[in-house]
Amino acid sequence: MPLDSPVQAERRARTAPPRRTRVAVALARAAAAVSRGTGAGAGGVVGGRIAAALDPDVVRHLGRDRTVVLVTGTNGKTTTASMLTRVLEPLGPVAANRDGANMPDGLIAALVDRPDAPFAVLEVDENYVADVAQRLRPACLVLLNLSRDQLDRVGEVRAVERGLRAAVAGLPGTAVVANCDDPLATSAAMASARPVWVSAGGSWTADALACGRCGRPIQHDGPAWRCRCGLARPRPDWVLAGDRAVDSAGRTAPLALQLPGRANAANAAMAVAAAALLGVDPAAAGARLATITEVAGRYRRTTLAGHPVRVLLAKNPAGWRETLPLLGDRSPVVIAVNGREADGRDLSWLWDVPFEVLRGRPVVAAGERSADLAVRLTYAGVPHVRCADPVRAVAGLPPGPVELVANYTAFRQLGQRSGDG
Ligand SMILES: [Zn+2]
């Protein structure tokens, strides 16, 4: 079911943006350039903030005349958006928030940075999808999964699902690509007039034990699931089968990914399904995905304090569930946990991560909230040492490879210290 036209020119009048928007964009670009030049940061978000202050409707104006894809969900947004960007690049320039700045300022910055790009692939924080999508009228919304994340900021996951469901219902022209193995994502996407269902699997169902619509228990039977209220797993249009994604017409995308793990295969299947809607051949899309080796520093292999280190990001129970199997069974593991606003200050989710599987290997609790982590590891029966600075934690280990898993701001701090190696 390809979309009517790759570039939806018919939906938007090809007129120059209003003067107010042009001024806002010019000043935002200047501010971003100054910020970059002074080393004050990537600069983009500052520019986005300025543009939004000068033109409250700047998102809508900047989105006109582009084919926009939004990517949302609890885990995998940055990776999946990066995959889609890579797949669409042969068709033309793509505006993208590659650094994961997924709130409105970051989205505006990405659009301001590439004003002439015919495509935009934007990852969007779940709580901003309704507002952003109303303004951008995306061709496609990719809804990856829904589980608990940052309880104090994002809110209760079923409330997030209800918000997304209402947003989807207000987008009759948008195709919604959703993982039909995730009952909460399915409940939200079921409100779409144009759903595309991907059986992408999932290993974390603890947040979808109860139906998002009626609260009754979801019955699971193999891949199928249903609730007594009638909500049930729809028939998939795409199936992730091992290392390939196959659609109901038999079109196949081989996924020879360099990125590790089942979750990335799921992200790839979602990206292929979305790209196919925009007219990209699935096999060609799969081949493009094989060229990705890291995503905004995640999965990066680097040298820190003389050790070969692989850097992974995990910031909630579902993300940890996918990350633990990647860690092998020998190398020491340094876990860095912060509790800043962007991480969520409530770290109670640590108690839902099965850290018990790390017993028997060297573990270091690091990060600004290493004390909270250390308590959790103690109750999990995992002997460990504590060292708040993750780089010093690595330095203190015997020679050899190290797995370093960090949550959001701890991960970003590592990126800023990449010269420490
Ligand atoms: Zn129900």
Side-chain angles (χ1 to χ4, degrees):
M1 183 182 63
L3 297 177
D4 307 335
S5 153
V7 179
Q8 301 165 302
E10 77 278 11
R11 282 178 44 197
R12 303 177 178 96
R14 273 204 176 269
T15 51
R19 183 178 144 73
R20 181 178 195 173
T21 305
R22 295 201 304 274
V23 170
V25 167
L27 289 173
R29 290 176 68 87
V34 168
S35 175
R36 280 190 202 102
T38 58
V45 173
V46 174
R49 203 162 294 158
I50 289 172
L54 292 171
D55 177 3
D57 211 13
V58 71
V59 172
R60 186 168 66 83
H61 291 135
L62 286 171
R64 283 199 312 202
D65 298 332
R66 309 198 207 224
T67 298
V68 177
V69 180
L70 302 182
V71 179
T72 197
T74 308
N75 287 313
K77 290 188 284 288
T78 304
T79 300
T80 306
S82 176
M83 288 173 163
L84 256 172
T85 301
R86 183 67 62 95
V87 167
L88 293 178
E89 275 167 346
L91 305 183
V94 182
N97 50 342
R98 296 165 209 270
D99 57 355
N102 61 19
M103 299 193 203
D105 292 342
L107 308 184
I108 294 166
L111 295 169
V112 163
D113 192 47
R114 299 300 299 270
D116 300 324
F119 295 96
V121 175
L122 302 169
E123 69 158 281
V124 186
D125 181 278
E126 302 88 288
N127 282 340
Y128 291 95
V129 168
D131 181 60
V132 167
Q134 271 305 317
R135 294 171 193 269
L136 284 174
R137 295 278 156 186
C140 177
L141 168 67
V142 179
L143 178 46
L144 296 167
N145 48 61
L146 287 174
S147 66
R148 261 174 303 164
D149 184 33
Q150 300 185 21
L151 288 171
D152 50 336
R153 190 184 70 78
V154 179
E156 200 264 325
V157 63
R158 282 164 61 193
V160 174
E161 186 276 317
R162 284 193 296 276
L164 281 172
R165 198 192 318 161
V168 165
L171 300 168
T174 298
V176 177
V177 177
N179 182 356
C180 61
D181 296 328
D182 182 319
L184 285 172
T186 299
S187 177
M190 200 75 92
S192 171
R194 308 177 69 188
V196 175
W197 302 111
V198 182
S199 173
S203 58
W204 178 260
T205 53
D207 292 320
L209 294 174
C211 176
R213 301 201 168 194
C214 72
R216 282 183 282 210
I218 296 265
Q219 315 287 337
H220 291 265
D221 178 15
W225 55 264
R226 63 171 50 253
C227 174
R228 279 169 56 203
C229 72
L231 186 71
R233 178 179 184 264
R235 180 197 298 266
D237 301 295
W238 287 85
V239 174
L240 171 64
D243 60 355
R244 52 192 53 229
V246 182
D247 81 351
S248 51
R251 291 188 300 170
T252 298
L255 305 172
L257 301 181
Q258 297 194 56
L259 298 181
R262 196 213 61 80
N264 280 323
N267 295 335
M270 301 291 285
V272 165
L277 286 171
L278 302 180
V280 179
D281 173 64
R288 294 280 298 170
L289 297 180
T291 64
I292 300 175
T293 56
E294 65 172 65
V295 175
R298 301 163 195 195
Y299 315 106
R300 164 176 105 241
R301 291 178 191 278
T302 184
T303 302
L304 267 184
H307 292 68
V309 174
R310 182 168 62 160
V311 185
L312 300 161
L313 173 80
K315 51 193 171 66
N316 51 43
W320 265 102
R321 187 73 59 149
E322 303 287 2
T323 299
L324 284 168
L326 305 181
L327 298 179
D329 53 11
R330 283 208 185 85
S331 309
V333 180
V334 174
I335 304 169
V337 173
N338 286 0
R340 299 187 180 203
E341 186 178 358
D343 303 303
R345 298 188 192 283
D346 175 353
L347 296 183
S348 59
W349 57 267
L350 286 171
W351 294 87
D352 294 319
V353 178
F355 286 115
E356 288 80 0
V357 301
L358 297 177
R359 284 177 196 157
R361 62 198 294 181
V363 174
V364 184
E368 294 165 357
R369 298 285 290 273
S370 59
D372 301 64
L373 175 62
V375 171
R376 171 67 188 106
L377 290 172
T378 299
Y379 276 86
V382 178
H384 60 277
V385 295
R386 203 180 131 206
C387 175
D389 180 339
V391 177
R392 284 183 54 202
V394 172
L397 289 166
V402 175
E403 305 277 11
L404 202 173
V405 190
N407 72 343
Y408 186 65
T409 68
F411 180 86
R412 290 187 69 132
Q413 288 168 341
L414 284 166
Q416 288 154 8
R417 294 176 60 182
S418 53
D420 287 11

